Amino acid sequence: MLVAGILGVLVFASAVGLALKLRIARGAPHAVIDNLNARIKAWWMMTAAIGLALLAGKGGVIALFAFASFVALREYATITPTRHGDHRALVVGFFLILPLQYYLVWIEWYGLYSIFIPVYAFLTLPILAALSGDARDYLSRTAGIQWGLMITVFCISHIPALLMLDIPGYEGRNGFLLVFLILVVQSSDVLQYVWGKLLGKRKIAPELSPSKTVEGFLGGVASATALGAALWWITPFSPGTAALMSLVIALMGFLGGLVMSAIKRDRGVKDWGALIEGHGGVLDRLDSLCFSAPIFFHLVRYWWSL
Amino acid sequence: MSVLAAGLAGLLTGFTRLLTGATARWIGCAPAGVQRIYFANHTSHADFVLIWASLPPVLRRMTRPVAGADYWEKDRVRRFIIHEVLRGVCIDRTRQAGSEDPIDVIVAALNGGDSLILFPEGTRNTTDEPLLPLKSGLFHVASQRPDVELVPVWMENLGRVLPKGEAIPVPLLCSVNFGAPIRLAPGEDKAVFLDRSRRALLDLAVSVRPG
């Protein structure tokens, strides 16, 4: 039923996208409609990837999100100013810290994977940069790398970590927690976009992200909360707590998008895949999940797991 | 091409894609099967492979990089990669007595019908300057084969992927931007032509910066 629902929504979205393209744009290039269609296409791919990973089990899910972290970190590092002295730190970040973090998730060592990057990487990377002997912009360079690892590796790794939570009476169904998180946060993104396009007037942060409006924000978060509440039966939550959880992760998702927009604005790019023409980056789709995943993980772990 | 060389070529292009995205942007010309010299900025040893990987496979088979013999002839692995995998044209940059004139070698390769990838700065740029002054080689080749299109190619970011002296590359998105072809005008002065070529590269660089 869940699968049928998701596929139904995707088919409907594609049909609407195609109809808009034919009716309004008449096949000609149209910024808003093309953007919408690109998003819908990304959605199909995301759904297929996550579906296959869930079928493949724990290993598949970890591999998928490790790869997502890799691509996201690559996008992040691309637009972050680093110098030759940061090379070692970046190599260690990509080829040691990233795989190790996912390995720790794989062996379910919660005590270490929840502090590995905030403590060990945090202390190691500035040492490597200092050993290179280049002091120019030192603090902003090292802080930039640490921040990138936190967002793209640490935060994203909390999505597959949901599979490992031990929830009494919910054994073997943890995959649904992951689906719940991604579905609520991603539909909140899309619904904010749709509400904003339909009714949006007052801009929330015109300096950071001109497309975010009060109307889009309220409509999107409210409807995503309603959707989450309606999905309570796939979660260990009651309908009321499912609504509350959805509200929290939709809010975090919105705020995450705002933070990531501030970074893009600061670096002078429109989207994270700026170097790939015509496509947004992976981080443009994952920014809201980066911020909501760790919070969701800890809320569930604290109140529901053993 | 032997099976080993073909396999290695596939591995190299796949690896380059994973590391850099290897995005080709054809801004000033289309990827066509005409004979060309792609002249590009040079910041890292991976430059050859990046341009090569970003070309469509059909063009890749008819395009050869021009490489410095002093670096690539050093050991068996490098020799195998440059000759068998990349089908490179090795030139002697040291200009020792008795060695073949690099210009003759390059022109001979052009007469064989292939396109070439050339780094007219002559060496890797490790300075903070965007581009070193161009060596005169580009001019001499162009004056012997004025019929061949000269396509400026600007590679963004690759210097950060593999800075000089480092062994392990860092994954960063790179773009390979192909500009509008230029040609040596009849009777054009060497300095004027080299300045024009350099400007073509720098203008392309400015036009592709994000934001």
Side-chain angles (χ1 to χ4, degrees):
Chain A
M1 186 173 158
L2 186 66
V3 172
I6 293 172
L7 290 181
V9 169
L10 280 176
V11 169
F12 175 71
S14 296
V16 170
L18 188 66
L20 283 173
K21 182 86 192 159
L22 292 176
R23 279 281 185 77
I24 297 177
R26 294 183 192 286
H30 185 291
V32 176
I33 294 173
D34 289 344
N35 180 287
L36 184 73
N37 281 324
R39 279 170 185 247
I40 294 169
K41 208 173 135 202
W43 267 73
W44 275 104
M45 289 175 8
M46 230 196 252
T47 309
I50 294 169
L52 285 175
L54 281 171
L55 284 178
K58 182 174 146 185
V61 174
I62 289 185
L64 175 68
F65 286 99
F67 182 69
S69 279
F70 175 84
V71 177
L73 185 58
R74 193 176 68 171
E75 283 168 7
Y76 177 88
T78 299
I79 65 159
T80 302
T82 58
R83 296 168 56 79
H84 189 165
D86 300 311
H87 192 77
R88 299 271 157 86
L90 286 170
V91 167
V92 167
F94 272 103
F95 299 119
L96 205 67
I97 294 173
L98 190 158
L100 254 172
Q101 171 73 11
Y102 280 92
Y103 174 70
L104 293 171
V105 172
W106 164 264
I107 62 169
E108 308 186 17
W109 190 353
Y110 170 78
L112 190 51
Y113 73 66
S114 56
I115 61 161
F116 179 57
I117 292 174
V119 176
Y120 295 96
F122 174 74
L123 295 176
T124 313
L125 296 174
I127 296 174
L128 287 173
L131 286 175
S132 78
D134 182 0
R136 189 145 140 214
D137 300 324
Y138 176 80
L139 186 57
S140 70
R141 281 160 40 208
T142 45
I145 294 175
Q146 172 67 18
W147 205 85
L149 281 171
M150 284 297 292
I151 289 294
T152 62
V153 181
F154 180 80
C155 288
I156 293 180
S157 74
H158 283 72
I159 304 174
L162 285 168
L163 288 183
M164 272 55 104
L165 288 175
D166 223 344
I167 301 167
Y170 195 66
E171 289 82 6
R173 299 176 62 200
N174 282 30
F176 287 115
L177 269 184
L178 202 143
V179 172
F180 177 81
L181 168 72
I182 296 175
L183 213 54
V184 171
V185 174
Q186 293 289 329
S187 49
S188 167
D189 279 0
V190 175
L191 291 166
Q192 281 174 43
Y193 176 83
V194 172
W195 282 104
K197 282 277 172 265
L198 292 177
L199 306 171
K201 283 194 191 70
R202 281 164 293 170
K203 293 191 161 119
I204 290 182
E207 291 289 310
L208 300 183
S209 176
S211 63
K212 286 192 170 52
T213 59
V214 177
E215 294 79 2
F217 164 67
L218 291 176
V221 170
S223 36
T225 303
L227 173 76
L231 286 173
W232 70 274
W233 49 277
I234 65 164
T235 69
F237 321 135
S238 70
T241 37
L244 210 59
M245 283 292 218
S246 306
L247 179 64
V248 171
I249 55 183
L251 276 176
M252 283 310 290
F254 167 79
L255 295 170
L258 204 62
V259 170
M260 300 304 268
S261 292
I263 296 173
K264 286 186 282 189
R265 205 29 70 98
D266 177 39
R267 303 301 322 140
V269 295
K270 208 179 123 280
D271 46 42
W272 288 98
L275 285 166
I276 304 178
E277 202 170 31
H279 298 271
V282 166
L283 262 181
D284 289 300
R285 291 291 89 84
L286 288 186
D287 52 5
S288 47
L289 273 171
C290 290
F291 277 69
S292 48
I295 302 297
F296 182 68
F297 174 88
H298 286 289
L299 289 177
V300 176
R301 186 176 176 279
Y302 187 77
W303 271 295
W304 279 272
S305 90
L306 285 175
Chain B
M1 198 187 266
S2 70
V3 178
L4 178 63
L8 211 58
L11 210 66
L12 266 179
T13 34
F15 185 62
T16 310
R17 287 245 166 76
L18 182 68
L19 279 184
T20 69
T23 318
R25 285 194 289 208
W26 296 85
I27 297 167
C29 60
V34 295
Q35 194 178 24
R36 284 169 169 165
I37 296 173
Y38 301 97
F39 67 102
N41 59 321
H42 193 18
T43 51
S44 125
H45 285 309
D47 287 351
F48 290 112
V49 186
L50 181 61
I51 298 191
W52 200 68
S54 65
L55 289 171
V58 185
L59 297 189
R60 204 181 298 156
R61 279 192 285 276
M62 52 173 282
T63 306
R64 307 174 64 187
V66 177
D70 46 299
Y71 176 79
W72 289 98
E73 299 281 6
K74 242 179 204 154
D75 56 58
R76 279 184 56 188
V77 176
R78 289 184 206 178
R79 271 202 296 277
F80 183 79
I81 291 179
I82 198 69
H83 290 300
E84 301 297 319
V85 181
L86 300 174
R87 294 199 312 125
V89 180
C90 276
I91 54 168
D92 184 1
R93 291 183 293 188
T94 54
R95 290 192 169 267
Q96 287 160 337
S99 67
E100 225 179 328
D101 185 347
I103 305 299
D104 293 345
V105 177
I106 294 172
V107 171
L110 281 176
N111 293 341
D114 287 318
S115 293
L116 298 180
I117 298 169
L118 194 75
F119 298 110
E121 292 164 278
T123 185
R124 279 179 295 153
N125 176 12
T126 53
T127 66
D128 285 334
E129 290 293 308
L131 193 64
L132 301 172
L134 304 193
K135 296 263 163 60
S136 55
L138 188 64
F139 170 78
H140 294 304
V141 173
S143 46
Q144 291 203 31
R145 288 293 308 268
D147 55 311
V148 179
E149 277 188 353
L150 307 170
V151 176
V153 181
W154 185 263
M155 283 178 287
E156 185 77 14
N157 242 346
L158 203 66
R160 287 171 64 211
V161 170
L162 195 62
K164 203 166 193 163
E166 299 291 343
I168 308 174
V170 156
L172 295 167
L173 293 172
C174 299
S175 65
V176 183
N177 304 280
F178 297 85
I182 60 171
R183 276 200 169 91
L184 179 65
E188 190 173 3
D189 178 61
K190 185 169 95 175
V192 173
F193 169 75
L194 288 178
D195 187 53
R196 192 157 66 89
S197 314
R198 188 166 188 271
R199 193 105 41 82
L201 280 174
L202 290 173
D203 288 348
L204 189 58
V206 171
S207 75
V208 299
R209 292 270 154 78

